[in-house]
């Protein structure tokens, strides 16, 4: 008879559908719908409902953005320094979404006591918006950190990341496109945002319930505080990865932010004949041109996240290889569009759709590099700094967002762009600068990302990391 010994090697414990679902819909579900609505409509809401001017709001957003970038590493240090019984990452999923609900009620309210004072209005909006940024940091960093603490399998990690990217793209598109209609249904922005926050609570609490910190090393009391950042920054291999995180945010930001300028100030004038069209025809053509082009971009982003990114990760196995292929295709499309985009409207729409479909996944693919970096630090330092690494990624991404928001304006302003000239009166230098911002800048950024990935500094450590993971699995199974 065969071996009757009942002792067998333990089966590999997978992530399960519930964890995957809640991980994908926590930061990327209701919380992302809030982020999309704020990114698209908050500026207009504050000016129209609270009575703050654009200049005052720009100062408020600058102050909040600076603090938002600074508090990312602080949050990472806190995550990796505490050791509560609920888990150093999981515990944040219990109360941060409740804070989100409270802040959405406050941020989208117009309390009576601030009506008579401009300073009171500015302080109220600044504090509530800054609080929002801190809450986002407080749930985003642990959400990224929990995945490598749950599994050491790169395929499982990639699968979860790709599903989260798909949900993110869907939530962002729906919220940014249909907010006006949804506000009419729910009665106000406050009701809509609070509904999104309730959905976020459900997802984060589900993530807390279904997550388990399987691969977390005991807290080392001698390595707490800000000095943990040294373990990341002293490795030269990490710096190119940080640059890639920053550039991915710039690439993604320019892709969308410059599209509106391109459609309005290049596509519309190229299609309109002022000598033969009446005002009504020009207005209709202007609206359809902009909405159609932005529709191609939005659908391209959805296809990128929901269809192509999972295919790329399955085909090329690793995040850096998927990035290499996507950036090569993106560069080709953008260079062609830079030189030929104005030849034909529909041709430009279709090729822009292709460029977005292969390029929009960059901001999600770089999340895979977070897992690589966490593994690398564990290999080199023997320390598990999931929170620190996730916060460094967040800091780099926000630096990229800052470059995007100011970079586009700087490029076109230097070239002589002004809204005073209207759609049809922009100088040639201004339209050239918009063409550069729309296609050439993203192509250059993608080229730099491509070079970094071709010489990806962490890939030579993959065999050692694989051996380390195998040892960790064996120790965990005992």
């Amino acid at each position: 008879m065969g071996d009757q010994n009942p002792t067998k090697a333990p089966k590999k414990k997978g992530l399960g559908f519930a964890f995957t679902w809640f991980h994908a819909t926590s930061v990327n579900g209701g919380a992302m719908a809030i982020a999309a609505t704020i990114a698209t409509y908050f500026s207009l809401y504050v000016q129209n409902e609270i009575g703050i001017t654009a200049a005052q709001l720009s100062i408020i957003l600058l102050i909040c953005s600076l603090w938002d970038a600074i508090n990312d590493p602080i949050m990472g240090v806190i995550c990796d320094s505490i050791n509560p019984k609920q888990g150093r990452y999981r515990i944040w999923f219990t109360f941060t979404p409740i804070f989100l609900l409270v802040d959405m009620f406050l941020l989208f309210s117009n309390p009576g006591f601030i009506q008579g004072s401009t300073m009171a209005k500015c302080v109220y909006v600044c504090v509530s918006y800054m609080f929002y940024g801190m809450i986002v940091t407080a749930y985003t960093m642990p959400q990224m950190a929990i995945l490598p603490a749950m599994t050491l399998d790169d395929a499982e990690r990639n699968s979860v990341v790709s599903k989260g990217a798909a949900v993110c793209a869907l939530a962002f598109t729906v919220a940014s496109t249909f907010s006006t209609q949804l506000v009419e249904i729910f009665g106000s922005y406050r009701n809509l945002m609070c509904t999104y926050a309730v959905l976020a609570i459900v997802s984060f609490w589900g993530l807390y319930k279904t997550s388990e910190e399987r691969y977390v090393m005991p807290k080392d009391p001698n390595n707490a505080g800000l000095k943990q950042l040294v373990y990341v920054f002293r490795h030269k291999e990490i710096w190119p990865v940080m640059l890639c995180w920053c550039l991915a945010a710039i690439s993604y930001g320019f892709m969308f932010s410059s599209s509106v300028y391109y459609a309005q100030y290049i596509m519309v004038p190229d299609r309109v004949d002022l000598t033969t069209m009446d005002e009504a025809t020009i207005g209709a053509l202007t609206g359809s041109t902009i909405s159609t082009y932005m529709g191609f971009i939005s659908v391209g982003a959805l296809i990128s996240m929901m269809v192509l990114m999972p295919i790329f990760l399955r085909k090329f196995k690793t995040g850096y290889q998927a990035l290499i292929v996507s950036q090569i295709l993106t560069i080709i499309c953008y260079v062609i569009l830079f030189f030929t985009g104005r030849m034909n409207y529909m041709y430009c729409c279709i090729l822009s759709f292709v460029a977005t479909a292969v390029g929009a996944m960059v901001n999600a693919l770089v999340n895979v590099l977070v897992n690589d970096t966490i593994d690398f630090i564990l290999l080199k330092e023997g320390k598990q700094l999931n929170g620190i690494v996730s916060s460094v990624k967040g800091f780099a991404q926000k630096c990229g967002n800052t470059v995007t928001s100011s970079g586009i304006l700087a490029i076109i302003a230097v070239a002589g762009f002004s809204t005073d000239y209207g759609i049809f009166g922009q100088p040639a230098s201004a339209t050239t600068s918009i063409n550069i911002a729309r296609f050439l800048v993203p192509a250059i950024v993608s080229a730099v990302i491509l070079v970094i990935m071709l010489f990806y500094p962490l890939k030579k450590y993959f065999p050692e990391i694989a051996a380390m993971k195998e040892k960790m699995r064996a120790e965990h199974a005992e």
Side-chain angles (χ1 to χ4, degrees):
M1 296 178 65
D3 186 4
Q4 299 297 312
N5 187 346
T7 303
K8 297 181 180 179
K11 289 184 178 180
K12 174 186 171 183
K13 192 174 181 181
L15 294 180
F17 173 80
F19 169 81
T20 302
W21 169 257
F22 288 122
H23 191 277
T25 58
S26 51
V27 168
N28 298 307
M32 181 53 62
I34 288 174
T37 306
I38 288 178
T40 310
Y41 298 100
F42 180 68
S43 176
L44 292 175
Y45 170 84
V46 170
Q47 294 177 70
N48 294 332
E49 300 297 328
I50 306 295
I52 290 178
T53 66
Q56 292 165 343
L57 183 59
S58 66
I59 296 174
I60 291 172
L61 295 180
L62 176 62
I63 294 171
C64 293
S65 297
L66 289 174
W67 171 242
D68 196 26
I70 293 171
N71 69 44
D72 271 38
I74 296 174
M75 181 62 198
V77 168
I78 294 173
C79 276
D80 286 331
S81 298
I82 64 174
N83 196 28
K85 64 179 181 180
Q86 296 93 338
R88 65 182 61 163
Y89 308 122
R90 294 174 68 240
I91 189 172
W92 300 93
F93 307 145
T94 60
F95 60 88
T96 53
I98 298 177
F99 288 167
L100 180 65
L101 174 60
V102 173
D103 191 60
M104 286 305 100
F105 182 88
L106 296 175
L107 189 60
F108 285 87
S109 294
N110 188 3
F113 69 85
I114 67 173
Q115 294 301 320
S117 171
T118 299
M119 179 59 70
K121 293 178 182 178
C122 291
V123 171
Y124 180 84
V125 172
C126 184
V127 171
S128 54
Y129 189 79
M130 186 178 292
F131 189 41
Y132 167 68
M134 294 172 66
I135 295 168
V136 172
T137 299
Y139 60 62
T140 300
M141 300 302 106
Q143 190 258 8
M144 284 194 289
I146 194 67
L147 181 56
M150 277 285 291
T151 178
L152 301 174
D153 189 289
D154 288 331
E156 284 189 321
R157 292 177 177 179
N158 293 347
S159 176
V160 173
V161 169
S162 64
K163 288 178 174 62
V167 174
C168 173
L170 184 60
F172 194 95
T173 300
V174 171
S176 61
T177 304
F178 302 108
S179 281
T180 303
Q181 293 87 340
L182 290 171
V183 167
E184 292 181 0
I185 294 172
F186 284 87
S188 67
Y189 272 105
R190 183 174 65 189
N191 292 345
L192 177 62
M193 301 298 269
C194 287
T195 301
Y196 288 151
V198 170
L199 295 176
I201 290 174
V202 173
S203 291
F204 276 108
W205 284 0
L207 182 58
Y208 171 82
K209 186 69 175 178
T210 58
S211 60
E212 176 186 353
E213 297 181 7
R214 302 170 185 168
Y215 303 101
V216 175
M217 299 179 67
K219 175 186 173 184
D220 185 351
N222 297 319
N223 293 303
L226 289 173
K227 63 182 180 181
Q228 293 178 93
L229 291 169
V230 175
Y231 300 128
V232 176
F233 289 115
R234 69 183 177 189
H235 293 282
K236 65 181 185 298
E237 294 90 347
I238 302 301
W239 289 92
V241 181
M242 289 180 58
L243 177 59
C244 191
W245 290 332
C246 179
L247 292 173
I250 295 173
S251 175
Y252 192 83
F254 264 79
M255 182 185 303
F256 283 95
S257 298
S258 62
S259 294
V260 176
Y261 285 96
Y262 189 84
Q264 184 163 334
Y265 294 101
I266 291 183
M267 285 185 154
V268 171
D270 284 351
R271 299 189 74 202
V272 168
D273 187 345
L274 295 175
T275 62
T276 61
M277 294 182 179
D278 57 32
E279 187 174 336
T281 303
I282 292 174
L285 185 60
T286 298
S288 65
T289 298
I290 296 173
S291 61
T292 300
Y293 185 67
M294 294 308 297
F296 272 95
I297 301 299
S298 298
V299 174
L302 278 175
I303 297 296
S304 180
M305 300 293 192
M306 299 184 72
V307 180
L308 292 184
M309 181 177 165
I311 293 174
F312 273 50
L313 285 173
R314 284 197 300 268
K315 175 68 175 177
F316 303 109
K317 307 300 182 184
T318 62
Y320 87 91
Q321 289 177 326
L323 270 169
I324 288 174
V325 177
S326 70
Q327 295 310 287
I328 290 174
L329 296 174
T330 302
I331 293 168
I332 293 172
C333 290
Y334 279 151
V335 170
I336 294 174
L337 280 164
F338 177 73
F339 290 105
T340 67
R342 301 183 69 171
M343 290 173 49
N344 179 272
Y345 170 67
M346 191 52 61
Y347 159 81
C348 184
C349 286
I350 293 173
L351 192 53
S352 294
F353 164 81
V354 175
T356 307
V358 296
M361 69 179 80
V362 63
N363 214 30
L365 280 174
V366 292
N367 289 332
V368 177
L369 308 186
V370 174
N371 299 322
D372 291 347
T373 306
I374 289 171
D375 293 338
F376 171 78
I377 294 299
L378 183 57
L379 174 70
K380 287 297 184 180
E381 298 287 350
K383 304 180 189 303
Q384 194 162 38
L385 302 178
N386 299 27
I388 295 290
V389 173
S390 298
S391 68
V392 170
K393 189 264 182 183
F395 173 78
Q397 183 175 15
K398 287 171 183 177
C399 289
N401 292 338
T402 301
V403 172
T404 298
S405 60
S406 59
I408 292 176
L409 294 175
I411 290 172
I412 62 177
V414 168
F417 172 87
S418 174
T419 54
D420 293 339
Y421 299 138
I423 295 177
F424 304 102
Q426 298 296 329
S429 59
T431 56
T432 299
S433 70
I434 292 173
N435 192 36
I436 290 173
R438 176 65 187 96
F439 298 123
L440 189 58
V441 171
I444 293 172
V445 172
S446 292
V448 178
I449 294 175
L450 175 61
V451 172
I452 295 174
M453 290 298 100
L454 287 173
F455 300 95
Y456 188 43
L458 302 186
K459 65 182 177 182
K460 65 181 179 180
Y461 298 98
F462 282 176
E464 295 177 66
I465 290 173
M468 175 191 70
K469 288 181 179 179
E470 203 56 46
K471 182 179 178 182
M472 290 175 65
R473 289 191 189 96
E475 291 174 350
H476 183 72
E478 291 177 356

